[in-house]
Amino acid sequence: MSDVRHVLVLPDRDAAEEVVQALAERFGVVEEPQLVRDALAGEDDAEDAQWLVVLRDEEERLDPGELDRFAGKWEGWREEP
């Protein structure tokens, strides 16, 4: 099995949590994705943070373009590796 991971970048925690819930419904993701706060260097203010949703795709069944469009519904995007 490969160690493929997708990283979706979201503008805030609420959007990231909504994406985590919607991933199961839309893509059938069973393993809960990891939610990570990514603050800009030197910034502690929550408004300057982005949220990352990291999901494993060992079977490589998730389409990167589809994930990017999906994240776009929350003003986010899929980070290219």
Side-chain angles (χ1 to χ4, degrees):
M1 286 195 172
S2 66
D3 188 28
V4 174
R5 294 174 194 259
H6 299 283
V7 177
L8 305 180
V9 182
L10 287 303
D12 57 53
R13 184 181 185 122
D14 290 339
E17 289 175 344
E18 287 178 26
V19 165
V20 167
Q21 290 180 345
L23 280 167
E25 295 170 19
R26 172 67 180 85
F27 295 99
V29 173
V30 241
E31 183 178 327
E32 185 167 335
Q34 184 180 9
L35 196 60
V36 180
R37 180 179 180 269
D38 182 34
L40 300 173
E43 298 292 334
D44 288 330
D45 188 352
E47 292 193 20
D48 292 327
Q50 295 175 325
W51 287 82
L52 309 179
V53 175
V54 182
L55 58 146
R56 293 173 48 181
D57 184 21
E58 294 173 346
E59 296 175 8
E60 297 184 49
R61 62 182 194 83
L62 300 173
D63 177 80
E66 206 171 323
L67 285 171
D68 190 41
R69 288 186 292 280
F70 176 76
K73 295 178 182 177
W74 287 270
E75 298 181 16
W77 64 90
R78 180 187 164 271
E79 188 73 22
E80 288 295 325

